[in-house]
Amino acid sequence: MNIKDTLLIIPAYNESKTIGNVIVKIKNQFPDLDILVIDDGSFDSTDMIVRKHGINIISLPFNMGYGVALQTGYQYANNKNYQYVLQMDADGQHEPECLNDLIMSIKNNKADIIIGSRFLSECNYGASWLRRLGMIIFSKITSLILKQKITDPTSGFQALNHKVLKFFTSEFYPSDYPDADVIILLHRIGFRIKEIPVIMYSALNKGKIHNGLKPLYYVFKMFLSIIMIFLREKPYFYRKGNKL
Amino acid sequence: MTPHQKVFAIIASIVLLLFILELVRKRKIKEEYSWFWLLIGSAIFILVIWYDLLLFITQLIGSETPMTTLFLFGFLFLLFVNIHYSVKISTFTEQIKRMVQKIGILSKEIEDFKNKEKRSNKK
């Protein structure tokens, strides 16, 4: 399979402990795959490790958050005319082997965006009860709105085609933490969404989000975002018969 | 309103107006951000001088005393200013985000160009 038209984006913030391993694993399985790491203003040696492996890296001048880092990757991919984008986390949560399924599914045009779900497979994913509750609530809401079963809207293990990529470079992409709201927005615009099972491990480096008071804020923000999607007009360039 | 209150309100509004004008003169506040402060200073000044207007507004909104009216409007004004700032901050956040992304991508491109040059020089 030709994967020269595919870019793997890995946002990283202080992931020096894990990112080397993640890169080696991916390189072993997909030596031809283009990889781009977005260093989101890390203050550890993340960027040195990435450069040592000869991987493309974009270093943001300061920490802007997961969504902004990802979107930078989307902009780069769009500028370089990549047709497909894969994304995964740098903390070792996502099993690189599953990239193959993601690539196959997106290239077979099964959907415009493929979400790797940890709940469709049997895996030992541990999370706090509060986080689990949040995930259940929002997967139910998402499933209800989409009229399609979505089990893991928080998953950052995804593949998208060029149409979604283009949309994600626009201002409609949330800059803090893309989540169920993005999936609902994509559905409202008319993109096809599909979940496939992937293997995910509990994160080794805890503390990205969902800590302290953040779960409460997250729940509030997600409800607000979802309501806003329906109050706003559809993004302008999609109204003309879903053509890009 | 007692004469004491009146004198104090007049002095306070004049000091506010002069202070804001001075900040604008020193370019510590941009003109575009100064207008509502000047507006509130002038409003207090006019209401205290033109006492009948204050009484009329007090009656209109049904508050107890003219002082309450002044406080109420002061409070509403501060509320408005804060909301205005939230809007501005949101704009700035978006602009900073765009800038950071551009800087990241451009730095990468400069680096790529330099590496390319190095390689062609070696050849």
Coordinates of all heavy atoms in Angstrom, one line a residue, chain A residues 116-151:
Chain A
G116 N -10.5 5.6 16.3 CA -10.1 4.4 16.9 C -10.7 4.3 18.3 O -10.4 5.2 19.1
S117 N -11.5 3.3 18.5 CA -12.2 3.2 19.8 C -11.6 2.2 20.7 O -11.4 1.1 20.3 CB -13.7 2.9 19.6 OG -14.3 2.5 20.8
R118 N -11.3 2.6 22.0 CA -10.8 1.6 22.9 C -11.8 0.7 23.5 O -11.5 -0.3 24.0 CB -10.1 2.4 24.1 CG -11.0 3.1 25.0 CD -10.3 4.2 25.8 NE -10.4 5.4 25.0 CZ -9.9 6.6 25.4 NH1 -9.3 6.7 26.5 NH2 -10.1 7.7 24.7
F119 N -13.1 1.1 23.3 CA -14.2 0.3 23.9 C -14.8 -0.7 22.9 O -15.6 -1.5 23.3 CB -15.3 1.2 24.4 CG -14.8 2.2 25.4 CD1 -14.9 3.6 25.2 CD2 -14.2 1.7 26.6 CE1 -14.4 4.5 26.1 CE2 -13.7 2.6 27.5 CZ -13.8 4.0 27.3
L120 N -14.3 -0.7 21.7 CA -14.8 -1.7 20.7 C -13.9 -2.9 20.8 O -14.2 -4.0 20.3 CB -14.8 -1.2 19.3 CG -15.9 -0.2 19.0 CD1 -15.8 0.3 17.5 CD2 -17.3 -0.8 19.2
S121 N -12.7 -2.8 21.4 CA -11.8 -3.9 21.6 C -11.7 -4.3 23.0 O -12.1 -3.5 23.9 CB -10.5 -3.5 21.0 OG -9.9 -2.5 21.8
E122 N -11.2 -5.4 23.3 CA -11.0 -5.8 24.7 C -9.6 -5.3 25.1 O -8.6 -5.9 24.6 CB -11.1 -7.3 24.8 CG -12.5 -7.8 24.9 CD -12.5 -9.3 24.9 OE1 -11.6 -9.9 25.6 OE2 -13.4 -9.9 24.3
C123 N -9.6 -4.3 25.8 CA -8.2 -3.8 26.3 C -8.3 -3.4 27.7 O -9.4 -3.0 28.2 CB -7.7 -2.7 25.3 SG -8.6 -1.2 25.4
N124 N -7.1 -3.3 28.3 CA -7.1 -3.1 29.7 C -7.0 -1.6 30.0 O -5.9 -1.1 30.4 CB -5.9 -3.8 30.3 CG -4.6 -3.5 29.6 OD1 -4.6 -3.1 28.4 ND2 -3.5 -3.8 30.2
Y125 N -8.0 -0.8 29.6 CA -7.9 0.6 29.8 C -8.5 1.0 31.1 O -9.6 0.8 31.4 CB -8.7 1.3 28.6 CG -8.5 2.8 28.7 CD1 -7.3 3.4 28.2 CD2 -9.4 3.6 29.4 CE1 -7.1 4.7 28.3 CE2 -9.1 5.0 29.5 CZ -8.0 5.5 28.9 OH -7.8 6.8 29.1
G126 N -7.6 1.6 31.9 CA -8.1 2.1 33.2 C -8.3 3.6 33.3 O -7.5 4.3 32.7
A127 N -9.3 4.0 33.9 CA -9.6 5.5 34.0 C -10.3 5.7 35.3 O -11.0 4.8 35.8 CB -10.3 6.0 32.8
S128 N -10.2 6.9 35.9 CA -11.0 7.2 37.1 C -12.5 7.1 36.8 O -12.9 7.3 35.7 CB -10.6 8.6 37.6 OG -11.1 9.5 36.8
W129 N -13.3 6.9 37.9 CA -14.7 6.7 37.7 C -15.4 7.9 37.1 O -16.3 7.9 36.3 CB -15.4 6.2 39.0 CG -15.4 7.3 40.1 CD1 -14.4 7.4 41.0 CD2 -16.3 8.3 40.3 NE1 -14.6 8.5 41.8 CE2 -15.8 9.1 41.4 CE3 -17.5 8.7 39.7 CZ2 -16.5 10.2 41.9 CZ3 -18.2 9.8 40.2 CH2 -17.7 10.5 41.3
L130 N -14.8 9.1 37.5 CA -15.4 10.4 37.1 C -15.2 10.5 35.6 O -16.1 10.9 34.9 CB -14.7 11.5 37.9 CG -15.4 12.8 37.9 CD1 -16.8 12.7 38.6 CD2 -14.6 13.9 38.6
R131 N -14.0 10.2 35.2 CA -13.7 10.3 33.8 C -14.5 9.3 33.0 O -15.0 9.6 31.9 CB -12.2 10.0 33.5 CG -11.8 10.1 32.1 CD -10.4 10.2 31.8 NE -10.3 10.4 30.4 CZ -9.1 10.3 29.7 NH1 -8.0 10.1 30.4 NH2 -9.1 10.5 28.4
R132 N -14.6 8.1 33.5 CA -15.4 7.1 32.8 C -16.9 7.6 32.7 O -17.5 7.4 31.6 CB -15.4 5.8 33.7 CG -15.3 4.6 32.9 CD -15.1 3.5 33.9 NE -13.7 3.1 34.0 CZ -13.2 1.9 33.6 NH1 -14.0 1.0 33.2 NH2 -11.9 1.7 33.7
L133 N -17.4 8.2 33.8 CA -18.8 8.7 33.7 C -18.9 9.7 32.6 O -19.9 9.7 31.8 CB -19.1 9.3 35.1 CG -20.6 9.7 35.3 CD1 -21.5 8.5 35.3 CD2 -20.8 10.6 36.5
G134 N -18.0 10.7 32.6 CA -18.0 11.7 31.5 C -18.0 11.1 30.2 O -18.8 11.5 29.3
M135 N -17.1 10.1 30.0 CA -17.0 9.4 28.7 C -18.3 8.7 28.3 O -18.8 8.8 27.1 CB -15.9 8.3 28.7 CG -14.6 8.9 28.7 SD -13.4 7.6 29.0 CE -12.0 8.2 28.2
I136 N -19.0 8.1 29.3 CA -20.2 7.4 29.0 C -21.3 8.4 28.6 O -22.0 8.2 27.6 CB -20.7 6.6 30.2 CG1 -19.7 5.4 30.4 CG2 -22.1 6.0 30.0 CD1 -19.9 4.6 31.7
I137 N -21.4 9.5 29.4 CA -22.5 10.5 29.1 C -22.3 11.0 27.7 O -23.2 11.1 26.9 CB -22.4 11.6 30.1 CG1 -22.8 11.1 31.5 CG2 -23.3 12.8 29.7 CD1 -22.6 12.1 32.6
F138 N -21.1 11.4 27.4 CA -20.9 12.1 26.1 C -20.9 11.1 24.9 O -21.3 11.5 23.8 CB -19.6 12.9 26.1 CG -19.8 14.2 26.9 CD1 -19.2 14.4 28.1 CD2 -20.7 15.1 26.4 CE1 -19.4 15.5 28.8 CE2 -21.0 16.3 27.2 CZ -20.3 16.4 28.4
S139 N -20.6 9.9 25.1 CA -20.7 8.9 24.0 C -22.2 8.6 23.8 O -22.6 8.5 22.6 CB -19.9 7.6 24.3 OG -20.4 6.9 25.4
K140 N -23.0 8.6 24.9 CA -24.4 8.4 24.7 C -25.0 9.6 23.9 O -25.8 9.4 23.0 CB -25.1 8.3 26.0 CG -24.8 7.0 26.7 CD -25.8 5.9 26.4 CE -25.5 4.6 27.1 NZ -24.8 3.6 26.3
I141 N -24.7 10.8 24.3 CA -25.2 12.0 23.7 C -24.8 12.0 22.2 O -25.6 12.2 21.3 CB -24.7 13.3 24.4 CG1 -25.3 13.4 25.8 CG2 -25.0 14.5 23.6 CD1 -24.7 14.5 26.6
T142 N -23.5 11.7 22.0 CA -23.0 11.7 20.6 C -23.8 10.7 19.8 O -24.2 10.9 18.6 CB -21.5 11.4 20.5 OG1 -20.9 12.2 21.5 CG2 -20.9 11.8 19.2
S143 N -23.9 9.5 20.3 CA -24.6 8.4 19.6 C -26.1 8.8 19.3 O -26.6 8.6 18.2 CB -24.6 7.1 20.4 OG -23.4 6.8 20.8
L144 N -26.7 9.5 20.2 CA -28.1 9.9 20.1 C -28.2 10.9 18.9 O -29.1 10.8 18.1 CB -28.6 10.5 21.3 CG -29.7 9.8 22.1 CD1 -29.6 10.1 23.5 CD2 -31.1 10.2 21.5
I145 N -27.3 11.9 18.9 CA -27.4 12.9 17.9 C -27.0 12.3 16.5 O -27.7 12.6 15.5 CB -26.5 14.1 18.2 CG1 -27.0 14.7 19.5 CG2 -26.4 15.1 17.1 CD1 -26.1 15.8 20.1
L146 N -26.0 11.5 16.5 CA -25.6 10.9 15.2 C -26.5 9.8 14.7 O -26.4 9.4 13.5 CB -24.2 10.4 15.3 CG -23.0 11.3 14.9 CD1 -23.0 12.5 15.9 CD2 -21.7 10.6 14.9
K147 N -27.3 9.3 15.6 CA -28.1 8.1 15.3 C -27.2 7.0 14.8 O -27.5 6.3 13.8 CB -29.2 8.4 14.2 CG -30.2 9.4 14.7 CD -31.3 9.6 13.7 CE -32.3 10.7 14.1 NZ -31.8 12.0 13.7
Q148 N -26.1 6.9 15.5 CA -25.1 5.9 15.1 C -24.3 5.7 16.4 O -24.0 6.6 17.1 CB -24.2 6.5 14.0 CG -22.9 5.7 13.7 CD -22.0 6.5 12.8 OE1 -22.4 7.6 12.2 NE2 -20.8 6.1 12.7
K149 N -23.9 4.4 16.6 CA -23.2 4.1 17.9 C -21.8 4.7 17.9 O -21.0 4.3 17.0 CB -23.2 2.6 18.2 CG -22.9 2.3 19.6 CD -23.2 0.8 19.8 CE -22.5 0.2 21.1 NZ -22.9 0.8 22.3
I150 N -21.5 5.6 18.8 CA -20.2 6.1 19.0 C -19.8 5.8 20.4 O -20.4 6.2 21.4 CB -20.1 7.7 18.8 CG1 -20.5 8.1 17.4 CG2 -18.7 8.2 19.1 CD1 -19.5 7.7 16.3
T151 N -18.7 5.0 20.5 CA -18.3 4.5 21.9 C -17.2 5.3 22.5 O -17.1 5.4 23.7 CB -17.9 3.1 21.8 OG1 -16.8 3.0 20.9 CG2 -19.0 2.2 21.4

